[in-house]
Amino acid sequence: MDNIIALHRDLVSGTYHHGGYEHFKINDTKPRDIHKASVRDRLLHHALYRKLYPLFDTTFIFGSYSCRKWKGTYKALSQFRMYAARASGINAKTVWVLKCDIRKFFASIDQKILIHIIRNSITDDRIIMLIANIVGSFNSGTEGKGLPLGNLTSQLLVNIYMNEFDQFVKHRLKVKHYIRYADDFIVLSHDRTYLLETLPYMKVFLRDQLKLSLHPNKVSISTLASGIDFLGWVHFPDHRVLRTATKRRMFRRIEEMNGKEETVASYRGMLSHGNTHKLLARIPKSAEK
């Protein structure tokens, strides 16, 4: 309680200053650097998030699915299937998919641009200074760049940042079948030329307005029939299958947990979202109990 009262006093007096971070690495599909704030600072993150989320979430487009209430991975997968059906004219046309990934996403967020975007929605200077305090407490190795993966506020702030791009795609480029999940986004169309012509406009906006770039090895335009790897699944016109890396990680995790009931139940829930009868049959019977 003494610590909470001290935090409140610092906030009221305007003397609050965000502390440093504990750094550690995890392997979640790929190596990631996590920066963990102190308990004191995390309390503030949660309080600020509760106030800011309702304000900004209403401004986000429907096709933004990462770290939002009533959204998430499986809602994005369902939307992918719906857009694929629309783009194909109910299997009458070939569906082409533009798939892109933003290079070093969290590490590349420009902090000044982010604060400028937030100022367009918040007029209270004390709130702005508080957000700037949190944002400025971290850099990815370059002054004024980056947000820490470990902060709850970072999940909201990157959506605020990328909402500029989402609005451009939907309202300036008039793209119909667009889905973004964090730093991954896709566009579906029956017209490959349209996707080729649209891509340069996206690159220029990201570069000039947000100081971001696409990963050169993770930009592709392929047919849905050839299989589109998106959000852990490989999608086809009439079904989707689990990505090989996800499949291996699932079985490895089940083995590590000795077939723990909660672990198996979690993966069974995940597998229910695709064509996975053969995978379900491979789960050890001891794990099913």
Side-chain angles (χ1 to χ4, degrees):
M1 182 57 70
D2 289 343
N3 290 330
I4 293 174
I5 291 171
L7 173 60
H8 178 264
R9 184 171 57 246
D10 289 347
L11 291 170
V12 171
S13 65
T15 58
Y16 169 81
H17 186 74
H18 197 286
Y21 294 88
E22 175 189 348
H23 172 246
F24 58 94
K25 293 180 180 288
I26 64 170
N27 279 294
D28 177 21
T29 68
K30 60 183 178 181
R32 297 181 189 275
D33 289 291
I34 304 296
H35 292 82
K36 180 181 176 182
S38 68
V39 173
R40 164 189 166 93
D41 293 328
R42 296 205 306 272
L43 280 174
L44 176 61
H45 296 171
H46 280 266
L48 196 60
Y49 183 90
R50 287 200 302 270
K51 291 296 183 181
L52 294 181
Y53 181 88
L55 171 66
F56 284 101
D57 188 67
T58 58
T59 69
F60 297 157
I61 67 166
F62 184 83
S64 169
Y65 283 88
S66 175
C67 301
R68 295 181 64 192
K69 292 178 181 178
W70 318 119
K71 294 286 187 174
T73 304
Y74 299 116
K75 290 290 182 69
L77 295 177
S78 296
Q79 194 63 40
F80 182 101
R81 178 172 289 174
M82 183 181 296
Y83 280 163
R86 290 179 183 176
S88 71
I90 312 179
N91 299 322
K93 303 172 184 176
T94 298
V95 176
W96 292 88
V97 182
L98 167 63
K99 184 173 179 291
C100 300
D101 180 289
I102 295 173
R103 187 173 181 270
K104 296 183 178 178
F105 183 43
F106 274 82
S108 300
I109 300 295
D110 188 289
Q111 296 174 359
K112 286 185 177 179
I113 293 175
L114 173 61
I115 297 302
H116 175 74
I117 292 169
I118 292 173
R119 281 189 181 276
N120 293 330
S121 299
I122 297 177
T123 56
D124 189 315
D125 285 338
R126 294 188 66 176
I127 299 297
I128 293 292
M129 292 303 294
L130 190 57
I131 297 171
N133 193 329
I134 294 172
V135 171
S137 68
F138 176 81
N139 73 70
S140 59
T142 302
E143 187 71 25
K145 288 279 190 177
L147 290 175
L149 269 171
N151 282 4
L152 174 64
T153 49
S154 295
Q155 299 175 6
L156 176 60
L157 293 176
V158 295
N159 270 340
I160 294 171
Y161 199 78
M162 286 301 294
N163 186 50
E164 300 293 301
F165 178 67
D166 295 340
Q167 297 292 338
F168 171 75
V169 171
K170 293 299 293 183
H171 301 299
R172 293 284 298 278
L173 297 181
K174 307 292 184 182
V175 173
K176 291 182 179 179
H177 306 135
Y178 166 79
I179 297 172
R180 182 180 63 81
Y181 194 97
D183 56 342
D184 294 326
F185 65 88
I186 60 165
V187 179
L188 299 91
S189 175
H190 66 272
D191 187 346
R192 183 174 182 272
T193 300
Y194 167 76
L195 297 178
L196 286 169
E197 292 174 347
T198 301
L199 179 58
Y201 291 103
M202 293 179 170
K203 287 182 177 179
V204 168
F205 184 92
L206 288 169
R207 182 194 68 200
D208 294 351
Q209 302 300 319
L210 299 178
K211 308 302 180 187
L212 298 173
S213 61
L214 298 179
H215 196 298
N217 299 326
K218 296 183 179 180
V219 177
S220 63
I221 298 178
S222 309
T223 63
L224 182 57
S226 67
I228 301 298
D229 190 333
F230 182 58
L231 299 182
W233 295 81
V234 180
H235 302 258
F236 297 92
D238 58 355
H239 69 287
R240 56 174 169 251
V241 297
L242 204 60
R243 179 193 294 164
T244 301
T246 307
K247 187 191 314 177
R248 289 173 179 166
R249 188 168 63 252
M250 176 185 71
F251 283 115
R252 183 169 64 247
R253 182 62 175 167
I254 290 174
E255 184 177 352
E256 289 172 353
M257 299 302 292
N258 294 316
K260 189 176 180 181
E261 183 178 351
E262 293 84 352
T263 302
V264 174
S266 175
Y267 281 120
R268 281 188 172 279
M270 178 186 74
L271 293 174
S272 69
H273 293 275
N275 299 73
T276 58
H277 299 295
K278 292 182 179 179
L279 286 180
L280 285 167
R282 288 176 56 189
I283 295 178
K285 290 185 178 181
S286 59
E288 295 177 352
K289 295 179 181 179

